[in-house]
Structures are given as structure tokens and as C-alpha cells.
């Protein structure tokens, strides 16, 4: 919007001590922070944790160096553990609250505020749209005082796990983050005490810098939100500020699902959808005024390859969608909204006419590229996705890492094999993607950990275009049915790639690359945190789930018979043993030789 972003009127300055029961069961599972040790400037991984990593990996027709290392994964796991602890801290808050909330509702409100705090930090402290010249060129390294609070780090982390959205948004709206480049994994993990997973106490300079650059937002994240805390929200129709509470008894506060507001100035009624529509008209206004630099969301990157397309292509696509002509005169966003309409339906109808090149015929399916573009305008802010919802989905994966014991740092002092195995299998997964272009592949949990970590190292991740032909996106809104089908196909392709190895006797000279231990089975569950839970599924979804259960049962029965008759090889026996309550997974060994 043209007006400056909103700010808090009040918020707690410090987070109260953690009082939740431990997730693992013991009384000392989540100890308090020990002030006796000074925080390191960067994370120090376990000694020798990278020693067993192969020098090169074969992907498609070339040998490449490791794209990610076990020490990267270990640092990432420190942050995941801290994020999990933060969630439990919020959900189990025991302080005074004037509006009672269930734990999940409290967490959802917290995330809305965390996204707002991240926006302030990214735009005002790191550098937002229009600050390109002031920021200069070349990479930027975060100074110690620029390291944000943990809630902001958590939102940033999730944002980067949507690599195409993040890259395009940085190109369009967030030049400061574009200069920062890769997620400073070691620096941010170094701000966490690895034993307690609590943030190190911030320096006075760090607190002062965050508060000053974010218009007096407190450094301490607000574990509790009251009805007295407000946020200025600007009316889409007249651009005047309205003081809106974060939460209300009616459930229509800015951080709540039922948000709605009637403008104090023009009496226009608006909600989150209307604010997103206003964002669309602002981008439309900017493009008309400056068609060489300003484009609609999701029009800059090549849809298939994930790399920037030719500028001419972005210009043509944007102009076509907006039905613009050379004689089109710039108009303010307010005027465009009043002319076209303030609902997403009105925007969709308008853009369909431009995209389809004819009168809006409702029986004609909306082109997928147009749906992708419009999806960026369903929520306010400079981000092309709903970051609060994305964090909620990502927390499912984090919880699985916690349950596997991966966030317990003491484990990696002795275990040198597991994270190496994750990295090796991830590179085999990349080889699988390179050999099956255009297919939707689904990783297991251990592979997904390495994949997530690589996405954070975005400077390296974007170079995958030169290795496998594309920069893979990471879609975390896939339905359970398609996800399950794609997982089965991925497992079959994985087995096919490893067929030559499977035909060999059951030898395991590298236990760091393939574990026969039972505990490793849990790590090879499909990574279904991307699935969207379907409440009260309709008949097609229920029937699909039933067919899948029958198919898995049939496979398990056939494998069991082969084992009983002694016809199965040793890999098949291991698969059958692990198949009890365990979806078939990628247990085949992978190549690890050096060129």
C-alpha cells in the first residue's frame, strides 16, 4: 500500500519463563537457560560430523560436490528444536488473558503477529521495495545487531522453504533479503543455546536496533495477546488508517479468522480478502506507470524451470492479464478498485477476459498460470503466500524431527552416520529428479530434512538449474491423495534406479549410508507434512484412501508370501519386516562412489 505499514500500540517486552511440561517426559527435558556461558558468534557443529561424507556425488551425467553437509543439517536441527519449544511456550501460556483461547488458537494469533514483525524487520531494517539504490549492490552479511528475534527467524525460515515464492518476492519487493542471499544458518543457530534450545539473551545494541528500525516493536515476542493491543490497518478504499484490535471477543480481530472492519472515514467494510485485492490494484497501478520494472506477482520466474524469465515475457504476460493497451492511463488503486470491484471474484473475472482473449465465459476453465498469479493476492502484505498458514504446515515436519530425537544435540556427539545418510540419500533423490523430469516426486523424512536445509542455502539451491535442469519448487499444499500416489511412484522409481545394487548379495560395507537398524525405519516414512488434512472428506477422497489401503495390504501380503517361501532376497526380507505399520519407503542402498 502507499501508506506506511501498521505498528503495534503495545506489546510485552519480555517473554515469561517457559512453564510447559517436557515433550519427552523427563523433568529436565527442557532446562532453563544457563547464563554462565557466553553465546558463540556462530554455531559449532559436533567434531568430525562431516568426516564420513563422500567427496562427490553422481547426479545425472556429472559428478558434483556435496550440495549440503551434515554440519548444515545439525545447525538446522538446532533451529527446528528452538521453533518447537517456542510453539509449546505459546500454546501452554499460563499468564493472565482477558480473552480465553485454546492452545491452537493462541498459536495461530501468535503467528499472525510474528508475520507482521517479520515484515517490519525485512522491509524497514533489511530493505524493502524502492530502497534498491540505497542498499547498493553485492552480497550483504547480517551484522550481530541485525539478527532478528526467534519468532521472526521462524517465519523467515518457513518463507525460504517456498523457494520460488521467496525468490520472486525478493526480486519484486524485498531487495534487502535478495542481497542477504542464503539463510545465515550457522549465525542464527549460534544465537540458540543447543542444550536448552532457548535463545541466548540479546545484547542491548541488538534490542535497540530492532526496536528503532521496526517503529518501536519490542524485541521480545508477545506470548500473549490482549484485546487492548491494536494495529493500524489502512482502508483499501480510502487509504485512511483504522485502529483495529488484534483479537476481540467476537473473533473479528486482525489476527483472527473472522476479521472484518468498517472504515471510520468512509464506512467501507473490508476484510483480509479485500486487503489482498487492494494489493493487486497497487501492483496494477505500478505496472501502468512503470512497465519496465514493475510486474504482477508470479510473472517473473519461468513457471517450469524456476529461474527468471526474459523481461519481455513478464511484460507481455502482465499486460495481457490486465487487458492493457498503449492508451491506458495510470489510475490510483482506489479508483481501479471502485471500477473493477473489491472482491477476488471481480478480479478473477476481469483478468480472465484478458487471459482468454474473449468475453468471460464461465464454462471455460481458468488457466492454471492465472490461478497461480492470483493466489499471491489472497492476503495482505508484500508476500505472495500466507506465511502464518505455511508455518502451521511446517510445524508438522518439525514435530516429526523432534519425535525422531533429531533435535537433541547430544545425539550427534556420538552418531556420525545418520546425518551423513540423510545427505547421501538426498543427492540420490536429486539424481532421481534429474532422470524423471516433469514428475512429482515425494521424499522421505530423512531426505526432506536435507532438502529443506539445501533450500535455506538458496545461493547454492538456485544453481541446481545447471545440475538437474530446474530449480525444484517445494509445494506444501498438496492433498493427501495425490501425495500418496506420487510417493508410491517415487518409491518405484527409486527402486528402479537402485536395481543393479539390489541384485547383489546383502552386504552393507557402509552403515553410515544405509542403516539396517530398526530405529532407521521411522526416518524413512514419507514426508507427508505437505499434505493438507481433509476434514470430513467427500466420497471421492474416502474411496481413494480405501483403494490405497487395499493396494498396500496386497503388496504386503505378496511380499510376506515371498519371504515365507524363501523367494525374497534379503532386502525384501528387511522391507517386509519394516512393513508392519510402516508405509513402503526408499530403503534401497544408493551409490556413493567418487569419480
Amino acid at each position: 500500500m502507499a501508506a506506511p505499514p501498521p505498528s503495534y500500540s503495545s506489546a510485552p517486552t519480555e517473554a515469561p519463563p517457559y512453564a510447559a511440561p517436557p515433550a519427552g517426559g523427563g523433568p529436565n527435558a527442557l532446562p532453563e537457560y544457563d547464563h554462565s556461558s557466553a553465546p558463540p558468534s556462530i554455531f559449532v557443529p559436533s567434531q568430525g560430523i562431516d568426516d564420513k561424507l563422500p567427496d562427490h556425488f553422481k547426479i545425472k551425467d556429472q559428478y558434483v560436490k556435496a550440495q549440503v553437509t551434515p554440519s548444515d543439517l545439525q545447525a538446522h536441527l538446532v533451529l527446528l528444536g528452538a521453533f518447537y519449544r517456542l510453539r509449546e511456550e505459546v500454546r501452554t501460556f499460563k499468564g493472565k488473558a482477558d480473552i480465553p483461547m485454546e492452545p491452537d488458537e493462541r498459536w495461530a494469533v501468535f503467528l499472525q503477529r510474528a508475520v507482521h514483525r517479520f515484515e517490519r524487520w525485512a522491509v524497514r531494517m533489511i530493505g524493502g521495495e524502492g530502497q534498491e539504490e540505497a542498499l547498493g549492490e553485492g552480497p550483504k552479511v547480517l551484522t550481530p545487531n541485525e539478527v532478528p528475534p526467534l519468532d521472526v527467524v521462524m517465519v523467515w525460515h518457513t518463507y525460504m522453504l517456498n523457494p520460488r515464492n521467496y525468490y520472486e518476492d525478493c526480486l519484486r519487493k524485498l531487495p534487502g533479503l535478495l542481497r542477504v542471499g542464503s539463510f545465515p544458518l550457522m549465525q542464527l543457530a549460534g544465537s540458540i543455546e543447543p542444550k536448552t534450545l532457548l535463545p541466548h539473551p540479546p545484547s542491548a545494541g541488538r534490542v535497540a536496533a530492532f526496536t528503532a528500525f521496526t517503529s518501536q516493536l519490542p524485541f521480545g515476542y508477545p506470548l500473549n495477546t490482549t484485546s487492548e493491543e491494536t494495529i493500524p490497518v489502512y482502508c483499501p478504499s480510502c487509504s485512511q488508517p483504522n485502529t483495529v484490535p488484534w483479537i476481540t471477543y467476537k473473533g473479528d480481530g486482525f489476527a483472527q479468522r473472522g476479521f472484518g472492519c468498517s472504515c471510520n472515514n468512509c464506512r467501507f467494510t473490508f476484510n483480509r480478502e479485500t486487503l489482498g485485492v487492494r494489493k493487486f490494484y497497487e501492483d496494477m497501478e505500478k505496472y501502468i506507470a512503470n512497465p519496465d520494472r514493475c510486474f504482477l506477482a508470479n510473472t517473473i520466474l519461468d513457471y517450469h524451470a524456476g529461474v527468471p524469465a526474459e523481461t519481455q515475457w513478464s511484460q507481455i504476460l502482465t499486460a495481457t492479464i490486465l487487458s492493457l493497451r498503449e492508451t491506458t492511463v495510470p489510475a490510483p488503486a482506489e479508483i481501479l478498485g471502485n471500477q473493477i470491484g473489491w472482491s477476488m471474484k471481480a478480479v478473477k473475472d476481469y483478468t480472465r477476459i484478458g487471459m482468454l482473449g474473449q468475453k468471460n465465459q464461465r464454462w471455460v476453465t481458468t488457466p492454471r498460470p492465472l490461478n497461480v498469479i492470483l493466489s499471491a493476492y489472497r492476503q495482505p502484505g508484500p508476500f505472495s503466500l500466507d506465511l502464518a498458514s505455511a508455518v502451521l504446515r511446517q510445524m508438522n515436519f518439525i514435530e516429526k524431527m523432534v519425535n525422531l530425537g533429531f533435535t537433541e544435540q547430544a545425539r550427534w556427539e556420538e552418531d556420525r552416520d545418520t546425518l551423513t545418510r540423510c545427505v547421501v540419500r538426498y543427492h540420490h533423490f536429486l539424481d532421481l529428479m534429474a532422470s524423471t523430469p516433469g514428475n512429482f516426486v515425494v521424499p522421505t523424512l530423512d531426505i526432506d530434512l536435507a532438502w529443506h536445509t539445501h533450500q535455506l542455502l538458496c545461493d547454492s539451491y538456485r544453481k541446481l538449474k545447471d545440475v538437474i535442469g530446474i530449480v525444484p519448487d517445494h509445494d506444501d499444499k498438496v492433498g493427501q491423495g495425490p501425495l500418496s500416489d506420487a510417493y508410491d511412484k517415487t518409491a518405484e522409481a527409486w527402486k528402479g534406479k537402485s536395481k543393479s545394487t539390489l541384485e547383489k548379495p546383502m552386504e552393507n560395507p557402509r552403515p553410515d549410508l544405509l542403516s539396517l537398524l530398526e530405529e532407521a525405519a521411522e526416518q524413512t516414512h514419507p514426508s507427508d507434512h505437505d499434505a493438507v488434512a481433509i476434514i470430513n472428506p467427500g466420497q471421492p477422497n474416502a474411496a481413494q484412501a480405501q483403494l490405497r489401503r487395499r493396494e498396500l495390504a496386497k503388496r504386503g501380503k505378496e511380499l510376506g508370501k515371498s519371504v515365507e517361501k524363501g523367494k525374497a532376497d534379503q532386502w525384501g526380507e528387511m522391507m517386509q519386516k519394516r512393513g508392519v505399520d510402516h508405509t513402503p519407503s526408499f530403503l534401497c542402498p544408493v551409490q556413493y562412489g567418487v569419480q
Side-chain angles (χ1 to χ4, degrees):
M1 298 180 186
S7 61
Y8 296 110
S9 62
S10 61
T13 56
E14 293 185 358
Y18 183 70
N28 296 320
L30 293 173
E32 294 299 329
Y33 179 75
D34 181 7
H35 291 270
S36 62
S37 59
S41 57
I42 61 171
F43 174 74
V44 180
S46 298
Q47 186 175 3
I49 198 168
D50 292 335
D51 289 352
K52 294 186 177 181
L53 188 67
D55 293 333
H56 295 78
F57 296 93
K58 186 177 182 181
I59 299 178
K60 205 172 182 179
D61 298 324
Q62 58 182 307
Y63 284 83
V64 300
K65 290 186 176 296
Q67 302 294 293
V68 67
T69 65
S71 56
D72 293 329
L73 270 62
Q74 186 184 4
H76 189 187
L77 287 165
V78 170
L79 290 172
L80 297 187
F83 300 156
Y84 180 81
R85 174 160 186 162
L86 175 60
R87 185 190 72 165
E88 295 307 296
E89 204 172 354
V90 173
R91 295 179 77 254
T92 58
F93 177 76
K94 303 299 182 182
K96 183 179 179 181
D98 59 345
I99 299 180
M101 289 185 285
E102 293 296 322
D104 288 342
E105 184 182 4
R106 184 182 301 280
W107 175 238
V109 169
F110 177 87
L111 290 181
Q112 291 292 345
R113 298 189 69 170
V115 170
H116 172 69
R117 287 160 56 84
F118 169 70
E119 179 182 345
R120 283 291 190 83
W121 173 81
V123 171
R124 298 194 174 189
M125 194 169 192
I126 306 303
E129 185 179 15
Q131 301 180 39
E132 290 84 355
E133 293 185 5
L135 292 171
E137 298 180 357
K140 171 182 172 57
V141 178
L142 288 186
T143 66
N145 285 346
E146 290 175 327
V147 174
L150 183 61
D151 61 327
V152 173
V153 172
M154 177 178 65
V155 175
W156 188 16
H157 164 271
T158 296
Y159 197 7
M160 294 193 74
L161 297 185
N162 295 268
R164 292 193 183 178
N165 291 97
Y166 182 79
Y167 189 21
E168 174 135 351
D169 288 353
C170 285
L171 290 170
R172 296 178 63 245
K173 303 283 188 179
L174 302 167
L177 288 181
L178 185 66
R179 284 190 60 212
V180 170
S182 294
F183 194 70
L185 197 54
M186 294 298 176
Q187 183 182 21
L188 295 177
S191 69
I192 305 297
E193 207 291 312
K195 292 183 180 179
T196 64
L197 300 177
L198 284 167
H200 288 295
S203 66
R206 186 178 166 201
V207 172
F210 181 84
T211 301
F213 277 96
T214 59
S215 299
Q216 303 307 306
L217 287 185
F219 187 91
Y221 38 79
L223 293 181
N224 182 45
T225 299
T226 69
S227 59
E228 296 179 354
E229 295 175 276
T230 60
I231 174 175
V233 180
Y234 292 80
C235 173
S237 181
C238 70
S239 301
Q240 294 301 306
N242 292 262
T243 301
V244 177
W246 281 103
I247 60 172
T248 68
Y249 288 97
K250 293 171 57 179
D252 60 357
F254 190 73
Q256 295 172 299
R257 186 185 299 272
F259 166 66
C261 178
S262 178
C263 178
N264 296 327
N265 180 60
C266 67
R267 300 303 174 188
F268 178 72
T269 300
F270 60 92
N271 53 25
R272 283 188 171 273
E273 177 184 329
T274 324
L275 294 171
V277 170
R278 163 71 188 230
K279 180 171 66 172
F280 175 84
Y281 293 135
E282 288 177 349
D283 283 351
M284 183 175 177
E285 176 188 356
K286 291 174 183 176
Y287 175 77
I288 295 173
N290 190 355
D292 294 328
R293 294 190 59 183
C294 301
F295 310 104
L296 289 180
N298 295 327
T299 63
I300 293 180
L301 295 187
D302 182 282
Y303 182 75
H304 298 288
V307 295
E310 295 291 335
T311 302
Q312 184 180 5
W313 184 90
S314 300
Q315 290 174 327
I316 294 174
L317 180 58
T318 299
T320 301
I321 291 172
L322 298 178
S323 302
L324 299 182
R325 303 291 183 267
E326 293 182 1
T327 57
T328 301
V329 179
E334 297 93 330
I335 301 299
L336 294 172
N338 292 333
Q339 291 176 346
I340 300 172
W342 287 106
S343 67
M344 277 304 301
K345 181 181 181 302
V347 171
K348 188 171 186 177
D349 288 345
Y350 175 79
T351 54
R352 274 172 55 92
I353 295 174
M355 195 74 168
L356 298 174
Q358 57 187 331
K359 186 177 179 180
N360 186 19
Q361 299 173 332
R362 299 188 182 281
W363 60 86
V364 178
T365 303
T366 302
R368 177 176 171 80
L370 179 57
N371 284 328
V372 172
I373 290 168
L374 295 183
S375 68
Y377 297 100
R378 298 188 181 278
Q379 61 281 319
F383 318 120
S384 59
L385 73 160
D386 184 344
L387 283 177
S389 296
V391 176
L392 284 173
R393 293 190 297 270
Q394 180 60 24
M395 196 54 66
N396 293 330
F397 175 79
I398 293 175
E399 190 169 358
K400 290 174 182 177
M401 292 294 104
V402 172
N403 293 337
L404 287 172
F406 277 20
T407 58
E408 298 173 6
Q409 292 303 300
R411 169 178 182 157
W412 310 121
E413 296 299 326
E414 301 295 333
D415 185 353
R416 299 288 190 275
D417 295 340
T418 298
L419 295 184
T420 300
R421 208 158 46 238
C422 292
V423 173
V424 170
R425 284 163 55 83
Y426 170 62
H427 285 80
H428 193 66
F429 185 72
L430 289 176
D431 182 50
L432 187 67
M433 281 196 281
S435 62
T436 56
N439 289 345
F440 176 36
V441 290
V442 180
T444 51
L445 287 171
D446 58 338
I447 295 172
D448 214 10
L449 171 61
W451 192 8
H452 286 195
T453 307
H454 194 194
Q455 289 171 59
L456 296 177
L457 307 176
C458 62
D459 291 334
S460 167
Y461 191 75
R462 291 168 192 158
K463 294 178 182 178
L464 283 179
K465 175 66 168 66
D466 300 327
V467 179
I468 65 175
I470 63 170
V471 180
D473 201 14
H474 191 263
D475 191 350
D476 66 351
K477 300 181 290 298
V478 183
Q480 289 175 332
L483 193 76
S484 298
D485 291 342
Y487 177 79
D488 287 345
K489 294 176 182 178
T490 306
E492 285 299 314
W494 181 280
K495 183 177 179 180
K497 290 286 288 184
S498 307
K499 184 176 180 181
S500 59
T501 310
L502 282 172
E503 292 173 345
K504 298 177 181 179
M506 182 72 162
E507 298 177 356
N508 195 32
R510 291 292 299 270
D512 52 318
L513 302 185
L514 177 70
S515 175
L516 305 184
L517 300 176
E518 287 304 303
E519 66 175 17
E522 289 298 316
Q523 302 163 19
T524 56
H525 274 300
S527 184
D528 58 358
H529 73 285
D530 300 337
V532 179
I534 302 174
I535 309 301
N536 297 323
Q539 186 175 355
N541 288 317
Q544 187 179 39
Q546 186 177 15
L547 287 174
R548 174 171 170 77
R549 286 193 294 269
R550 289 177 180 174
E551 176 63 22
L552 292 178
K554 180 181 177 181
R555 294 181 195 174
K557 187 175 181 180
E558 292 175 350
L559 183 58
K561 288 182 180 180
S562 297
V563 172
E564 289 178 2
K565 295 179 181 180
K567 295 183 178 180
D569 59 21
Q570 290 172 296
W571 292 108
E573 291 178 1
M574 183 175 68
M575 288 283 287
Q576 194 271 339
K577 184 177 181 181
R578 291 182 174 180
V580 180
D581 297 325
H582 184 77
T583 304
S585 51
F586 319 147
L587 298 178
C588 303
V590 300
Q591 296 179 356
Y592 53 84
V594 181
Q595 187 179 22

